[in-house]
Amino acid sequence: MLSFGCRTTHPSFRKQQKMTAAHTHDHLTLDEVAASCRERGLRFTDIRRQVMGILLNSEKPLGAYAILEQMTGDGSPAQPPKVYRALDFLVGNGFAHKIATQSTFTACAHPGQPHTPTFLICKSCDSVTEAEIPSSPIQEAAKATGFKVEGAVLEAEGICPDCA
Amino acid sequence: MLSFGCRTTHPSFRKQQKMTAAHTHDHLTLDEVAASCRERGLRFTDIRRQVMGILLNSEKPLGAYAILEQMTGDGSPAQPPKVYRALDFLVGNGFAHKIATQSTFTACAHPGQPHTPTFLICKSCDSVTEAEIPSSPIQEAAKATGFKVEGAVLEAEGICPDCA
DNA sequence: CGGAGACTCGTTATACTATTGCAAACTCAG
DNA sequence: CTGAGTTTGCAATAGTATAACGAGTCTCCG
């Protein structure tokens, strides 16, 4: 079951969740990220804010160079390390996720707690939904072998409800 | 629980499984792949055989260009498309897997049935073990949302039993 | 204040991963 | 043989990510 507050790029799925524009749990706001950083003693710099804003604004996950293209604000031609460093920060602190099978990045839909997101990627419409699996079965499978899991990537490709 | 016949790159783990050199289920042989191709009407060409051989021979997953480097047999400098086309064939037909988080490839450890492998990647010794999760939890999580899963990637990073 | 240490940023260059496009060669059934 | 479909050779290019290094900035603490 999807947790409440899941983030999906699929417009009509969002409608199903009966979210409102005013107070959506679809994702964070920049101010909330800023507050979280303040609490945790992290520096939410201009570049990081800019990248986070671009991710929050996007319907779909974005590649690093797609983000780069949107960073034309300051006049100087943005360089890759700028984006990758910001993404490292955002992913490392749980504000965004990397989708490994696509080499794209997306804002986190379940902020607050460290978690292992599951991404459901529609082959037909390219929408990506961040679901949450209650108790990770990977943990169990690994535990049986003595492997200590510190982080996991779960990504599924298929057909979303609206395309089916 | 790990299925019997799991393939791991970790030497001492292999020892725990009490595998023998003579008749190991650690992985396929080239002849078995060839036979499987014959059965299914697939063409197991020289290039594909060569790439499969390199994967089977390797302790660890290999990047496409690492494979390329080992393809010096025929004199002509091997081109990337050569390797990628062979890998597409091998992965597409279940003889090998791609490890998305590393952009590497490895021989399949559970041939015969289509399956969703789980890779346990040790941060310490870089070993990679292919485990198998009985009933995919992703399937269940997705089913609840109406998402139809056609393929999934499960990869966990952590510490293997021998490094712990 | 002011110095030390840690973190962040700008910049250049480069490494690594993967695909496109087209023509030639091969394979196999009819 | 012949034609359709597949595989290969080859050249170029697209896309993703990091290395290295110096300069600047923040914060803590004396």
Side-chain angles (χ1 to χ4, degrees), chain B residues 70-119:
Chain B
Q70 293 190 42
M71 295 182 68
T72 54
D74 53 359
S76 69
Q79 304 298 326
K82 205 168 167 174
V83 171
Y84 281 105
R85 287 195 280 228
L87 288 170
D88 282 350
F89 172 86
L90 295 172
V91 171
N93 290 291
F95 300 121
H97 298 296
K98 176 169 187 174
I99 302 176
T101 53
Q102 299 188 323
S103 292
T104 57
F105 300 85
T106 191
C108 175
H110 303 130
Q113 293 283 15
H115 61 286
T116 299
T118 299
F119 291 104

Side-chain angles (χ1 to χ4, degrees), chain A:
Chain A
M1 178 70 183
L2 278 178
S3 305
F4 177 62
C6 75
R7 174 184 175 87
T8 176
T9 61
H10 201 292
S12 45
F13 185 82
R14 290 162 91 162
K15 216 163 41 188
Q16 290 174 11
Q17 297 288 307
K18 296 192 177 66
M19 292 169 176
T20 67
H23 182 64
T24 173
H25 284 258
D26 188 26
H27 58 64
L28 293 163
T29 65
L30 279 181
D31 285 346
E32 286 167 342
V33 175
S36 175
C37 285
R38 227 174 293 123
E39 263 180 33
R40 296 154 68 186
L42 302 172
R43 289 161 65 180
F44 196 45
T45 64
D46 277 351
I47 296 176
R48 292 166 181 176
R49 174 184 298 268
Q50 211 178 338
V51 171
M52 189 71 207
I54 290 167
L55 288 180
L56 288 173
N57 232 26
S58 170
E59 290 257 321
K60 295 185 189 301
L62 295 174
Y65 283 73
I67 296 169
L68 203 48
E69 282 176 10
Q70 294 190 40
M71 296 182 68
T72 54
D74 53 0
S76 70
Q79 304 301 326
K82 204 167 167 174
V83 170
Y84 280 105
R85 287 195 279 229
L87 287 170
D88 282 349
F89 172 87
L90 295 172
V91 171
N93 290 293
F95 300 121
H97 298 295
K98 176 169 187 174
I99 301 176
T101 54
Q102 299 189 324
S103 294
T104 57
F105 300 86
T106 192
C108 176
H110 304 130
Q113 292 284 15
H115 60 286
T116 298
T118 298
F119 291 104
L120 305 177
I121 303 162
C122 181
K123 290 160 87 166
S124 171
C125 68
D126 286 328
S127 69
V128 174
T129 300
E130 180 181 347
E132 190 73 8
I133 292 189
S135 89
S136 177
I138 284 194
Q139 288 280 4
E140 291 175 25
K143 196 181 294 175
T145 76
F147 189 93
K148 188 182 172 195
V149 177
E150 297 184 358
V153 167
L154 312 210
E155 297 170 20
E157 188 187 64
I159 304 294
C160 75
D162 291 295
C163 290

